[in-house]
Amino acid sequence: MSESTVVVLGDTPPVRLDRLSGRARVLVSDADALPELLPAADVLLVWDFLSDAVRDAWPGAGPRPRWVHAASAGVDRLLFPELIESQTVLTNARGLFDQPIAEYVAGLVLAFAKDLPGTWELQRQRRWRHRETRRLAGTRAVVVGAGPIGRAIASTLGALGVRVELVGRSTREGIRGAHELNGLLPTADWVVCAAPLTPATRGMFDREAFARMAPSSYFINVGRGPLVSTQELRTALVSRRIAGAALDVFEEEPVPLDSRLWDTPGLLMSPHMSGDTIGWRDDLARQFQDNYDHWAAGEPLFNVVDKQLGYVPG
Amino acid sequence: MSESTVVVLGDTPPVRLDRLSGRARVLVSDADALPELLPAADVLLVWDFLSDAVRDAWPGAGPRPRWVHAASAGVDRLLFPELIESQTVLTNARGLFDQPIAEYVAGLVLAFAKDLPGTWELQRQRRWRHRETRRLAGTRAVVVGAGPIGRAIASTLGALGVRVELVGRSTREGIRGAHELNGLLPTADWVVCAAPLTPATRGMFDREAFARMAPSSYFINVGRGPLVSTQELRTALVSRRIAGAALDVFEEEPVPLDSRLWDTPGLLMSPHMSGDTIGWRDDLARQFQDNYDHWAAGEPLFNVVDKQLGYVPG
């Protein structure tokens, strides 16, 4: 195969693609330069996975990249009709974030169970106030999203003695179907959202869902912001309809300074970092380059997204 | 056996001992009344386990309780010479706190690994600042204290992929001896103290121990306050000799309002609550009453403390 042109969208800090040196022409682009560079690209590496620049720059009838790789598990920003309907192959970073996100969720669940935020607020106030906290073992979790991330969360919580129901699109062995979710919410102590963002899942956690949850229960979102109606979550928290929530993803990122979310009672906010352990960028670069080896050898790519479903099936 | 007299030291909120009704004369005492009531006691239930009242009230040559039960795992306040040398049997609450404390420690370790305190501080300041955090799986922990609590901590951290060394008094299968601790500290990411407080362990975590730990490592104490030289821990934190620490127990409890500990950088403080999950007082009362059934039947008590060692062996 002749030398391919790889366009990289967004590289702050710079992506290290040492293994492509001498094998590909690598062009780094920002959103502004992308319309000009994209027609020349054989491969597009989408490093800035929250950008709409690919959609905006997508060549109409012109030459298009044959392969687009997202340096993320979620590919929602790339699921626009022109790319879905094209012959372009879309791959993602499936596998890299499973264990880190599972650990992050376990940390949040334990922090809620043991009221660590309350403890640290009391420390700030120099107040010694003993409280009784929850035993985690024996509680119930519902994890929505039955991909590798959801399964890793279920496995980690299970290792801590939590009884977990895993909810996917359709019912299959060990997995409840989405239509069963409503029946599972009332008895869950923890509801964790790790679903892909697709037309079927957008806004799935809304007022109705929070109304089904127990007043003592907690909600955690590590998927994508628009899976949740943030305003309706805020209302559920302010009215103590549920006990608390943690959001790592938001409808708008970064969350604006004047957002009412920041001081919502019972809400813990983190800046889209649940999966980003030390060295994650190197891991992402290595995975892309592994897939590039397949590409260069004319072999099938791995982590190919089903563009109709919006994720890598199976 | 004729009706026994059970004296209960401290009962705020009141201890429920329903199963003793009609079988024992139960007298509730505070520290002031104890010298008067203790000579009449067959059994002493020490509900307020941090009080020195038993030592202060212990009858010299007079009649003494034949059985003292501590509603706690640690019995350090009861290990005074007159009780140690007496024929009085000492029992404790071994078993009740293992899983709750193990969960609490796992919560603290994950909170440190994922920098949850930093995230919540940034939220208070309405600052969106992405950071890379640690992957917990594959890190190393040293857990000091090889009793049921230490073993539960080791098991729970192990389930999260942490490689754990358990340190006890002497080397035996699966357990490192205390003399091996110094060699284990430099490579530990997490050092967890869950040892009983005895003359052999008092002050074991001092400047020298913290100097052996890695600058990126964290220290957690869920045992008893005097296991640690708090002042030397503070110095280690202020000088960034270690990365952080969490204390659930202190040399003086409650910690005084003017203590310099409260705002020590990198220190998380909780008010001696790591094992106290909802219903813990009922669990303690049930366990004491189970042992009382043995007592009333003339059978050997369980959870008998070796008063020389300072804990229940085996």
Side-chain angles (χ1 to χ4, degrees), chain A residues 30-249:
Chain A
D30 59 15
D32 291 342
L34 195 62
E36 189 179 337
L37 291 176
L38 198 53
D42 300 296
V43 180
L44 174 65
L45 168 57
V46 183
W47 198 255
D48 180 2
F49 61 89
L50 289 176
S51 162
D52 280 322
V54 181
R55 185 194 64 197
D56 297 343
W58 195 253
R64 307 161 179 138
R66 282 175 292 151
W67 171 27
V68 173
H69 178 81
S72 59
V75 295
D76 40 283
R77 300 294 176 123
L78 301 172
L79 294 176
F80 51 88
E82 295 77 6
L83 199 159
I84 291 175
E85 287 153 21
S86 74
Q87 297 297 312
T88 297
V89 176
L90 178 61
T91 60
N92 76 356
R94 174 187 172 105
L96 293 187
F97 298 105
D98 311 350
Q99 191 56 35
I101 294 180
E103 291 179 352
Y104 200 88
V105 169
L108 290 171
V109 163
L110 278 164
F112 283 136
K114 306 304 178 184
D115 191 24
L116 298 184
T119 292
W120 299 330
E121 177 58 26
L122 288 164
Q123 178 179 352
R124 278 201 338 118
Q125 303 172 13
R126 298 186 170 228
R127 289 170 67 195
W128 179 276
R129 213 180 85 206
H130 179 279
R131 291 102 61 217
E132 299 179 355
T133 63
R134 287 196 194 186
R135 190 185 284 253
L136 183 61
T139 61
R140 292 167 182 271
V142 170
V143 177
V144 180
I149 294 173
R151 294 201 301 271
I153 294 169
S155 166
T156 299
L157 293 180
L160 292 167
V162 179
R163 291 178 289 176
V164 183
E165 298 279 2
L166 196 56
V167 177
R169 202 171 58 96
S170 54
T171 309
R172 50 198 195 275
E173 170 139 15
I175 297 175
R176 306 294 203 104
H179 65 284
E180 298 177 81
L181 178 60
N182 280 347
L184 295 169
L185 291 177
T187 54
D189 297 293
W190 322 100
V191 176
V192 181
C193 177
L197 177 60
T198 69
T201 61
R202 184 176 289 269
M204 68 182 295
F205 285 100
D206 57 6
R207 186 176 55 177
E208 195 189 345
F210 300 127
R212 288 181 197 278
M213 288 173 59
S216 58
S217 67
Y218 291 81
F219 176 77
I220 295 171
N221 187 15
V222 289
R224 282 287 183 270
L227 293 160
V228 177
S229 165
T230 310
Q231 184 49 52
E232 291 175 17
L233 172 62
R234 186 174 191 282
T235 302
L237 289 167
V238 168
S239 63
R240 310 244 175 224
R241 185 62 203 82
I242 65 173
L247 299 179
D248 186 57
V249 288

Side-chain angles (χ1 to χ4, degrees), chain A residues 103, chain B residues 135-141 160-163 189-190:
Chain A
E103 291 179 352
Chain B
R135 190 185 285 251
L136 183 61
T139 61
R140 292 167 182 269
L160 292 167
V162 179
R163 292 179 288 177
D189 298 292
W190 322 99

